Amino acid sequence: MSDFALHRHLPQLELPHIQLGEYPTPIEHLPALGDVWLKREDLSSPIYGGNKIRTLETLFADSQARGMRRVQTLGAYGSNQAVACILHGRRLGLDTGAVLFPQRATPTAAENMRVILSECEHVRMLRSILTFPAHWLALRSSKDTYLVPPGGANPLGALGHSANALEIAEQLHAGTMPTPKHLVVAIGSTCTTAGLLVGLPLAQKLGLWPGELPQIHAVRVTPWPVTARSQVMKLAKATARYLEQVGGPRIEPDPKLLVLNTKHFGWGYARVTQGGLAAAKHFAELTAPPLDTTYAAKSGAALLELARETEGPFLFWCTKSSAALPQVDEARIARAPGHIRRWLQRADKHKAFAP
Ligand SMILES: Cc1ncc(COP(=O)(O)O)c(C=O)c1O
């Protein structure tokens, strides 16, 4: 039986998929927070986990189906997706690389940057975000390079998360948790949220989802317009259309399921917030999975607030990998361009404040 829930329930789908992760990711109760349950996406792979693995399973399979070994991704200096692309792409024999733009220098981002510098030969670290669109366009029109867009946010990438909704429906049937009323997830590129906006009604249509569909509290960590409501719905609708094209049923994503939570964004992408730090500290005290300050800590802060004010059950996405990172290669880091070494130094100065 396939480990990919979309193929399990819709075997007729003509959808590329290659397994990188270990599924189902567990659902665990966090009783100290009451009616709160954790979807342990952090455990999706011991090589490098987190929510991006599901995205890469369909995208890498597509690159292989097209016979394209060169894969490039795009993101910020501390991109989890770049780390996931590099570490998992290698397993498939892909020649992966990344074009990365500057972001706030934080310990979380620096940890990833060190891994990227240590593990990847083909990484281009831009000095300014202003040149990023030109690089994106050039890669998009390249004939011999498969482009994984920022966050993997296209219909094929999002379907990996639709599969997760079916996986959760199976876990609910097995009695793992009561049917959640609220899902809480960080929204960066919109890929995960858009996939869920398709996967939940799909699970309902297939008769898998017990009871009413939950609201998705998508906690903004990247600015408008990247995470504008209209953008999320646009990707969800494109994902639903794509699902139909590859042989799936017609799904109408319901905008009423989407609650865009903008309260925990702070002063910008990757900017550390007090609420995020407090949530990360609280999770650490409970020996719950790690919350990174860029993404999961902000959604963690939203979860803590919601759990105080609203009735559950809640299902919280642990989106940051908890796998041990590979050893870094200090010699390679020492050879990085000067602007990157200075950026790493700035990030290290903030270490004292990090969770
Ligand atoms: C740890 C983590 N959480 C959440 C997200 C947001 O997911 P998405 O980009 O699918 O909206 C990301 C995206 O990179 C991430 O790395």
Side-chain angles (χ1 to χ4, degrees), residues 51-52 80-81 151 186-192 292 295-296 319-320:
N51 58 330
K52 289 295 139 194
N80 292 310
Q81 139 126 325
I187 181 167
S189 72
T190 76
C191 184
T192 309
D292 68 301
Y295 294 96
T319 49
K320 174 70 177 174

Side-chain angles (χ1 to χ4, degrees), residues 176-197:
T176 313
M177 75 170 284
T179 302
K181 279 197 179 149
H182 307 276
L183 311 183
V184 183
V185 61
I187 181 167
S189 72
T190 76
C191 184
T192 309
T193 302
L196 291 172
L197 278 164

Side-chain angles (χ1 to χ4, degrees), residues 2 4-17 163 166:
S2 171
F4 186 48
L6 274 174
H7 282 159
R8 245 188 336 272
H9 294 284
L10 296 167
Q12 79 277 17
L13 282 192
E14 284 186 35
L15 189 63
H17 178 261
L166 304 189

Side-chain angles (χ1 to χ4, degrees), residues 240-251:
R241 274 197 306 276
Y242 184 78
L243 177 68
E244 205 181 338
Q245 275 164 26
V246 295
R250 172 166 294 192
I251 298 296

Side-chain angles (χ1 to χ4, degrees), residues 1-13 15 17 19 21-25 39 54 57 160 162-171 202 206 208:
M1 205 169 34
S2 171
D3 274 317
F4 186 48
L6 274 174
H7 282 159
R8 245 188 336 272
H9 294 284
L10 296 167
Q12 79 277 17
L13 282 192
L15 189 63
H17 178 261
Q19 184 147 355
E22 296 180 1
Y23 305 112
T25 57
K39 182 61 173 160
R54 293 184 193 266
E57 293 186 342
S162 307
N164 196 9
L166 304 189
E167 178 180 302
I168 293 166
E170 292 171 346
Q171 290 172 303
L202 174 64
L206 296 175
L208 298 171

